[in-house]
Amino acid sequence: MAYEGARIAREAADEAARMAASVGLERKVLVAGSIGPTSKSLSLSPDVEDPSFRPYTFDQMAEAYREQAEALIRGGADLLLIETCFDALNVKAALSAISPDVPVIVSVSVGDRSGRTLTGQTLEAFYTAISHRPLLAFGLNCSLGAAELLPLIEEIGRWCRCGISCYPNAGLPNEMGGYDQSPEEMAAQVREMAVRGLVDIVGGCCGTTP
């Protein structure tokens, strides 16, 4: 599935570049291979009666990530995006499985406005835990809306030593789990991040469309 997804995206990216060339424009469209967080945590035990229990090892997690990463690259991805991350140890397993020649973005999902992940880490602690690997960018996705993520993006800018990315949800979900924020409202909030020079890469997550 990872291979086929990357292959289809590569075809679409190349077609967009060809269309631009047909009208005299030069355009390079990159494909980022998405690697999600899995439903598992290397830091937290799934058994509340046994905090030390883990049903899988670091090496097993790394091998699962390796299979996906290699398929994405074979399919035509230019870079890999490890996203919606909530456990730095999971990300370390993913990074250990990815060739150092491949550009990588790590995007974290926080549990609330405090900026902590579901495993309780602060964003700076999370970044420090994975900073042994040079990153193309580090940032936030999903989580909250752009307005709520703005203070956290400002914080990241104070200590992050690589590019900064942010692709938030379309505001907060309503009681039915839907997203009411309009594209115009979200664009205005994301634009504030950009005009203030806080981000290098922007986009949209839950509740958004092209």
Side-chain angles (χ1 to χ4, degrees):
M1 289 175 66
Y3 171 82
E4 286 298 322
R7 183 187 62 78
I8 293 168
R10 177 79 271 157
E11 289 180 356
D14 292 345
E15 177 60 23
R18 283 193 294 271
M19 290 178 64
S22 69
V23 293
L25 299 175
E26 184 176 346
R27 183 184 184 196
K28 182 173 177 59
V29 182
L30 299 176
V31 173
S34 169
I35 298 178
T38 84
S39 60
K40 299 169 174 56
S41 170
L42 288 172
S43 296
L44 300 176
S45 171
D47 184 352
V48 294
E49 301 296 328
D50 184 1
S52 66
F53 173 70
R54 300 293 186 277
Y56 28 75
T57 66
F58 182 95
D59 289 343
Q60 287 172 328
M61 183 78 81
E63 184 55 37
Y65 279 123
R66 179 177 291 106
E67 181 180 4
Q68 185 178 11
E70 290 177 352
L72 289 166
I73 295 299
R74 286 201 316 273
D78 299 291
L79 61 135
L80 296 178
L81 169 59
I82 308 172
E83 62 172 335
T84 324
C85 305
F86 63 89
D87 187 336
L89 196 53
N90 284 24
V91 177
K92 289 172 79 73
L95 292 174
S96 74
I98 297 171
S99 167
D101 299 328
V102 177
V104 173
I105 297 172
V106 171
S107 188
V108 178
S109 177
V110 295
D112 55 36
R113 292 181 178 87
S114 73
R116 288 185 180 271
T117 66
L118 294 178
T119 53
Q121 276 189 306
T122 65
L123 289 169
E124 187 172 10
F126 197 112
Y127 178 77
T128 300
I130 62 171
S131 59
H132 60 284
R133 166 72 180 248
L135 299 174
L136 181 63
F138 176 85
L140 299 171
N141 77 287
C142 201
S143 313
L144 307 163
E148 290 81 11
L149 289 185
L150 179 59
L152 299 179
I153 289 295
E154 287 182 302
E155 176 195 334
I156 290 173
R158 289 194 283 271
W159 39 255
C160 185
R161 300 188 301 276
C162 61
I164 297 175
S165 67
C166 185
Y167 52 110
N169 292 339
L172 294 170
N174 58 33
E175 62 276 6
M176 299 301 293
Y179 292 84
D180 300 322
Q181 191 173 70
S182 71
E184 292 75 22
E185 289 172 320
M186 182 177 179
Q189 294 176 5
V190 172
R191 188 175 295 114
E192 182 178 355
M193 293 184 188
V195 297
R196 290 174 57 184
L198 300 175
V199 289
D200 302 288
I201 302 169
V202 296
C205 202
C206 302
T208 71
T209 67

